[in-house]
PDB file of all heavy atoms in Angstrom:
ATOM      1  N   ALA A 461      84.302 134.561 -39.417  1.00 87.00           N
ATOM      2  CA  ALA A 461      84.332 133.944 -40.717  1.00 87.00           C
ATOM      3  C   ALA A 461      83.939 134.951 -41.804  1.00 87.00           C
ATOM      4  O   ALA A 461      84.601 134.908 -42.928  1.00 87.00           O
ATOM      5  CB  ALA A 461      83.442 132.757 -40.722  1.00 87.00           C
ATOM      6  N   GLU A 462      82.934 135.785 -41.602  1.00 85.00           N
ATOM      7  CA  GLU A 462      82.590 136.736 -42.594  1.00 85.00           C
ATOM      8  C   GLU A 462      83.739 137.708 -42.867  1.00 85.00           C
ATOM      9  O   GLU A 462      84.021 138.133 -44.008  1.00 85.00           O
ATOM     10  CB  GLU A 462      81.296 137.564 -42.209  1.00 85.00           C
ATOM     11  CG  GLU A 462      80.121 136.925 -42.680  1.00 85.00           C
ATOM     12  CD  GLU A 462      78.905 137.818 -42.264  1.00 85.00           C
ATOM     13  OE1 GLU A 462      78.940 138.966 -42.363  1.00 85.00           O
ATOM     14  OE2 GLU A 462      77.899 137.180 -41.769  1.00 85.00           O
ATOM     15  N   ARG A 463      84.383 138.136 -41.827  1.00 86.00           N
ATOM     16  CA  ARG A 463      85.517 139.084 -41.937  1.00 86.00           C
ATOM     17  C   ARG A 463      86.569 138.349 -42.711  1.00 86.00           C
ATOM     18  O   ARG A 463      87.254 138.993 -43.460  1.00 86.00           O
ATOM     19  CB  ARG A 463      86.010 139.514 -40.580  1.00 86.00           C
ATOM     20  CG  ARG A 463      85.268 140.777 -40.164  1.00 86.00           C
ATOM     21  CD  ARG A 463      86.030 141.433 -38.997  1.00 86.00           C
ATOM     22  NE  ARG A 463      85.188 141.681 -37.935  1.00 86.00           N
ATOM     23  CZ  ARG A 463      85.305 141.651 -36.692  1.00 86.00           C
ATOM     24  NH1 ARG A 463      86.532 141.441 -36.294  1.00 86.00           N
ATOM     25  NH2 ARG A 463      84.384 141.939 -35.875  1.00 86.00           N
ATOM     26  N   ALA A 464      86.802 137.080 -42.323  1.00 86.00           N
ATOM     27  CA  ALA A 464      87.934 136.397 -42.961  1.00 86.00           C
ATOM     28  C   ALA A 464      87.630 136.244 -44.427  1.00 86.00           C
ATOM     29  O   ALA A 464      88.516 136.357 -45.305  1.00 86.00           O
ATOM     30  CB  ALA A 464      88.097 135.027 -42.311  1.00 86.00           C
ATOM     31  N   VAL A 465      86.419 135.966 -44.807  1.00 85.00           N
ATOM     32  CA  VAL A 465      85.971 135.858 -46.238  1.00 85.00           C
ATOM     33  C   VAL A 465      86.188 137.212 -46.838  1.00 85.00           C
ATOM     34  O   VAL A 465      86.612 137.288 -48.048  1.00 85.00           O
ATOM     35  CB  VAL A 465      84.468 135.354 -46.286  1.00 85.00           C
ATOM     36  CG1 VAL A 465      83.890 135.465 -47.691  1.00 85.00           C
ATOM     37  CG2 VAL A 465      84.380 133.956 -45.780  1.00 85.00           C
ATOM     38  N   THR A 466      85.668 138.246 -46.187  1.00 85.00           N
ATOM     39  CA  THR A 466      85.835 139.636 -46.759  1.00 85.00           C
ATOM     40  C   THR A 466      87.375 139.919 -46.833  1.00 85.00           C
ATOM     41  O   THR A 466      87.691 140.477 -47.906  1.00 85.00           O
ATOM     42  CB  THR A 466      85.197 140.738 -45.826  1.00 85.00           C
ATOM     43  OG1 THR A 466      83.866 140.237 -45.480  1.00 85.00           O
ATOM     44  CG2 THR A 466      85.046 141.938 -46.487  1.00 85.00           C
ATOM     45  N   LEU A 467      88.166 139.693 -45.915  1.00 84.00           N
ATOM     46  CA  LEU A 467      89.608 139.913 -46.099  1.00 84.00           C
ATOM     47  C   LEU A 467      90.203 139.048 -47.170  1.00 84.00           C
ATOM     48  O   LEU A 467      91.115 139.468 -47.867  1.00 84.00           O
ATOM     49  CB  LEU A 467      90.227 139.604 -44.597  1.00 84.00           C
ATOM     50  CG  LEU A 467      90.103 140.706 -43.588  1.00 84.00           C
ATOM     51  CD1 LEU A 467      90.720 140.211 -42.323  1.00 84.00           C
ATOM     52  CD2 LEU A 467      90.657 142.020 -44.037  1.00 84.00           C
ATOM     53  N   ALA A 468      89.781 137.921 -47.162  1.00 83.00           N
ATOM     54  CA  ALA A 468      90.341 136.968 -48.199  1.00 83.00           C
ATOM     55  C   ALA A 468      89.946 137.452 -49.559  1.00 83.00           C
ATOM     56  O   ALA A 468      90.698 137.264 -50.581  1.00 83.00           O
ATOM     57  CB  ALA A 468      89.922 135.569 -47.974  1.00 83.00           C
ATOM     58  N   ALA A 469      88.761 137.918 -49.783  1.00 82.00           N
ATOM     59  CA  ALA A 469      88.254 138.367 -50.976  1.00 82.00           C
ATOM     60  C   ALA A 469      89.092 139.674 -51.373  1.00 82.00           C
ATOM     61  O   ALA A 469      89.272 139.949 -52.624  1.00 82.00           O
ATOM     62  CB  ALA A 469      86.812 138.562 -51.027  1.00 82.00           C
ATOM     63  N   THR A 470      89.447 140.489 -50.472  1.00 80.00           N
ATOM     64  CA  THR A 470      90.087 141.693 -50.714  1.00 80.00           C
ATOM     65  C   THR A 470      91.640 141.431 -50.833  1.00 80.00           C
ATOM     66  O   THR A 470      92.310 142.230 -51.456  1.00 80.00           O
ATOM     67  CB  THR A 470      89.896 142.868 -49.563  1.00 80.00           C
ATOM     68  OG1 THR A 470      90.037 142.276 -48.319  1.00 80.00           O
ATOM     69  CG2 THR A 470      88.674 143.503 -49.823  1.00 80.00           C
ATOM     70  N   ALA A 471      92.016 140.508 -50.500  1.00 69.00           N
ATOM     71  CA  ALA A 471      93.396 140.229 -50.515  1.00 69.00           C
ATOM     72  C   ALA A 471      93.860 139.522 -51.785  1.00 69.00           C
ATOM     73  O   ALA A 471      93.849 139.165 -52.706  1.00 69.00           O
ATOM     74  CB  ALA A 471      93.923 139.440 -49.335  1.00 69.00           C
TER      75      ALA A 471
END
Side-chain angles (χ1 to χ4, degrees):
E462 267 183 44
R463 269 195 232 150
V465 169
T466 310
L467 282 176
T470 48

